[in-house]
Amino acid sequence: MWDSRRIRLLSACVIVLWALAQNSTPLAEAPGELVIADPVAGNLRYVPAGAFTQGSPESEPCRGGGETQFVHSLSRGLLVMETEVTRQMWAALKAVQPDLPDDPTDLSAGAGPDHPVQNVNWHEMLLFANLLSVERGLAACYYLDEGFTTLLTANNYLTSPVYCDWLADGFRLPSEGEWEYACRAGSTGAFSVEEPNYGLGTCQTGTPEPALAALDSVAWWLGNAGWGTHLAGTKAANPWNLRDVHGNVWELCWDWSETYPAGTQADYYGPETGVFRVARGNGWYAYAADYCRSAARGYFFPTERGFHVGFRLVRTWCTPPAIVTPPDSISIQPSGNGVLEVQATGDNLHFQWYQGLTGDTGTPVGTDSASYDTGPLTETTSFWVRVENECGLADSPAATVAILCPAPATPGLTVPAEADSGAEYGVSWSGASTGMVCEIQEADNPLFSNATVSFTLSASQAFQHVVGQPAFFYYRVRLRETCDGDEYISGWSGVAHVCVGCAATTPGDADGSGVLDILDALWLADYLAGNLEVLQPSDLDGDGAITPADLHLLLLLLSGDLKAGPPPSF
């Protein structure tokens, strides 16, 4: 029916398409997406890395004794055959790899070319996988030594033990955990499809009442198969577009059959030794609906054959990293922390952050995380991140963490109203912080037209001054701060006045000079404008507040229209 010349011609026609698919590194974006249509293995569907609960809950009807649940994390994505290996697939591979044994199918239980291969043992499945990998130019998975140097071939495939290179990109059997994860396709019930009629009354009979219509839609099993296998892929797919994961033929996995481990496991491949190999999915023959469950476990000797036993292959499929959202440039306050984040796709990703521009790997920072806390920064700095996995890497553009450097706020300033001659007095200010420099200016007039002394102090210091003779002084202060390599300067504070050894008693002598003159009027006007603080008696009208009325009275005094004396009463 399938002569070798026709099969070789078919293979020649599609091999170019296959090579293009291999070299293009297609990126699967969604679970169940078609990634490659292989000339032998058919449609290969994407199954992403992820974690799930393997096994069944105690409440699931007719569950098996070895199904105690545990959390299983799978770090690598897969390409999974949409259907079980068919007789046509076996013939197509044998046409180009003649060392493959003849199709072992029991023809009495399904002879069509598109029926699943059955009556095949576990060793032959591994050989089929390795020969297909060799044919495709992929790294074979099965070897006879732990160092992966002695390839499993047609000359030694019955030898034990066998070792699997899980990182190789060739074809292989799934592990038991990979099989259940792909079968469930995100579901958590007894089957990958919701079956409302499954229960204690229907789980162990081939003629359930009521009928298991949902199960029938996805599986050939005891309840609907009759005698023998059926065409592969004719039932509805599971949520990830995989067909016949329930029924038609049992599918052997890599694992030895044993009790599940406890706790959380990562990439668990079963015990190192055993007697039986695990089989999953149930077949057309003899077993009721409970064996079709996603968590149901069967087992067979590695050399055992059965007209209801077949297989499905997978490939480890590492999706290279792709940066979806690079870290954004941000601004922070001086000595503040910046948090950078990156969003990327791909399997089993690792993150390494660096300080500097993209490509500069001299200063690695942070941990293996999609976010990075810069810690306190005092100057503008750039960072970038490298996202990496087993099959590639991606570098982000550099993100800048800029320092916001607003000028310091204008400080407040106070001094004592008067001090004794020869005494030490202090000027204090508010608004300064650590790292700032305070510049103090002294003059003998409120306009600072002839400032004679400037002092520069740190924010933590106090300004103290000793004057040995009667005098009066005006003071003001401003703050300087160096931030991100630049200097920022505040505005000048208001003006403060101190009279040393010259207590003022004359009403209106606002500057405390002991002389009533036009400077007092200027002082009082500046005070009313909010520019400085009056420290000497200026409440000429005696109302308890300094107002424009006091300035008016002072001007009258200076013009001679009003005599100086005690505060008048109105």
Side-chain angles (χ1 to χ4, degrees):
M1 182 177 295
W2 317 295
D3 64 82
S4 61
R5 288 175 300 174
R6 291 175 64 189
I7 293 173
R8 286 181 184 274
L9 180 60
L10 175 63
S11 298
C13 290
V14 298
I15 197 66
V16 173
L17 294 176
W18 163 262
L20 289 174
Q22 294 303 299
N23 294 330
S24 63
T25 316
L27 297 180
E29 295 180 351
E33 182 177 342
L34 175 62
V35 178
I36 296 174
D38 183 82
V40 171
N43 291 343
L44 300 178
R45 300 283 182 177
Y46 177 61
V47 171
F52 75 112
T53 300
Q54 187 168 331
S56 64
E58 294 182 0
S59 60
E60 190 164 286
C62 297
R63 69 190 292 262
E67 300 175 13
T68 301
Q69 290 182 311
F70 69 100
V71 175
H72 196 168
S73 175
L74 303 175
S75 66
R76 304 178 188 90
L78 300 171
L79 296 185
V80 181
M81 288 179 60
E82 182 177 323
T83 70
E84 296 152 338
V85 174
T86 66
R87 299 194 67 218
Q88 175 64 54
M89 294 174 184
W90 192 283
L93 183 58
K94 185 169 177 59
V96 293
Q97 292 286 337
D99 287 341
L100 181 69
D102 292 337
D103 180 356
T105 295
D106 183 336
L107 300 183
S108 70
D114 293 321
H115 283 236
V117 166
Q118 31 88 352
N119 206 42
V120 57
N121 69 35
W122 186 82
H123 295 284
E124 291 167 339
M125 298 174 191
L126 270 55
L127 177 60
F128 184 98
N130 262 16
L131 291 176
L132 182 54
S133 297
V134 170
E135 181 65 22
R136 293 289 171 260
L138 302 172
C141 296
Y142 296 117
Y143 294 83
L144 302 184
D145 65 308
E146 291 184 275
F148 305 135
T149 59
T150 305
L151 185 68
L152 183 147
T153 67
N155 297 323
N156 60 19
Y157 73 96
L158 293 176
T159 305
S160 293
V162 180
Y163 299 88
C164 181
D165 182 357
W166 299 98
L167 299 181
D169 64 354
F171 289 90
R172 58 178 175 81
L173 293 178
S175 69
E176 184 181 14
E178 291 171 337
W179 189 97
E180 184 173 329
Y181 177 66
C183 171
R184 288 189 177 278
S187 64
T188 57
F191 310 100
S192 65
V193 63
E194 182 66 28
E195 177 50 86
N197 293 330
Y198 180 77
L200 292 176
T202 59
C203 60
Q204 291 185 324
T205 173
T207 56
E209 291 292 343
L212 303 177
L215 178 59
D216 286 343
S217 72
V218 297
W220 293 112
W221 65 291
L222 178 63
N224 65 7
W227 182 263
T229 61
H230 289 257
L231 293 174
T234 55
K235 288 292 187 179
N238 78 352
W240 289 351
N241 295 321
L242 304 178
R243 301 175 186 273
D244 296 329
V245 288
H246 306 290
N248 221 358
V249 291
W250 285 96
E251 299 178 18
L252 278 170
C253 300
W254 164 263
D255 304 41
W256 291 107
S257 179
E258 187 53 86
T259 302
Y260 281 154
T264 298
Q265 300 292 323
D267 298 320
Y268 177 67
Y269 302 125
E272 295 185 0
T273 59
V275 176
F276 301 102
R277 295 287 180 175
V278 172
R280 290 301 206 102
N282 200 2
W284 63 271
Y285 177 74
Y287 296 96
D290 57 332
Y291 278 92
C292 292
R293 291 175 304 109
S294 300
R297 309 174 74 193
Y299 51 88
F300 295 88
F301 290 110
T303 56
E304 188 175 354
R305 300 180 184 275
F307 54 24
H308 56 319
V309 178
F311 67 111
R312 178 192 310 258
L313 297 179
V314 304
R315 285 178 55 190
T316 297
W317 185 250
C318 182
T319 303
I323 293 177
V324 177
T325 305
D328 290 328
S329 294
I330 58 175
S331 298
I332 62 173
Q333 297 295 325
S335 300
N337 290 32
V339 177
L340 302 175
E341 295 182 340
V342 65
Q343 293 183 350
T345 60
D347 297 324
N348 198 26
L349 297 179
H350 296 280
F351 303 86
Q352 178 58 64
W353 293 84
Y354 295 94
Q355 180 177 320
L357 299 178
T358 300
D360 180 1
T361 59
T363 310
V365 294
T367 59
D368 185 359
S369 172
S371 64
Y372 169 58
D373 187 328
T374 66
L377 294 178
T378 58
E379 61 183 20
T380 296
T381 310
S382 294
F383 299 91
W384 63 282
V385 62
R386 173 165 289 171
V387 186
E388 193 168 4
N389 65 9
E390 295 164 346
C391 60
L393 58 84
D395 292 343
S396 77
T400 299
V401 182
I403 306 300
L404 291 173
C405 294
T410 300
L413 178 64
T414 59
V415 295
E418 57 185 78
D420 294 334
S421 178
E424 182 180 86
Y425 64 92
V427 176
S428 61
W429 55 88
S430 61
S433 60
T434 301
M436 291 185 181
V437 171
C438 303
E439 180 182 355
I440 302 170
Q441 206 170 56
E442 179 184 273
D444 61 4
N445 66 88
L447 301 179
F448 289 84
S449 58
N450 60 341
T452 56
V453 181
S454 290
F455 305 89
T456 301
L457 304 173
S458 69
S460 61
Q461 288 179 297
F463 168 66
Q464 294 183 325
H465 192 39
V466 177
V467 178
Q469 59 184 2
F472 53 93
F473 300 96
Y474 300 90
Y475 294 96
R476 63 182 180 179
V477 65
R478 64 183 177 183
L479 304 176
R480 295 176 179 268
E481 181 177 21
T482 300
C483 176
D484 200 21
D486 296 317
E487 186 178 54
Y488 296 83
I489 305 174
S490 75
W492 284 107
S493 69
V495 177
H497 170 268
V498 64
C499 180
V500 179
C502 55
T505 58
T506 304
D509 184 13
D511 61 7
S513 65
V515 178
L516 198 65
D517 56 22
I518 192 62
L519 291 179
D520 298 306
L522 292 174
W523 180 273
L524 191 53
D526 268 349
Y527 168 79
L528 293 172
N531 295 327
L532 48 79
E533 181 179 352
V534 173
L535 299 178
Q536 302 303 328
S538 298
D539 183 14
L540 296 179
D541 60 11
D543 66 354
I546 300 175
T547 66
D550 297 302
L551 178 59
H552 178 69
L553 291 175
L554 179 58
L555 293 173
L556 290 176
L557 283 172
L558 293 174
S559 66
D561 294 334
L562 184 68
K563 298 299 183 181
S569 58
F570 297 90

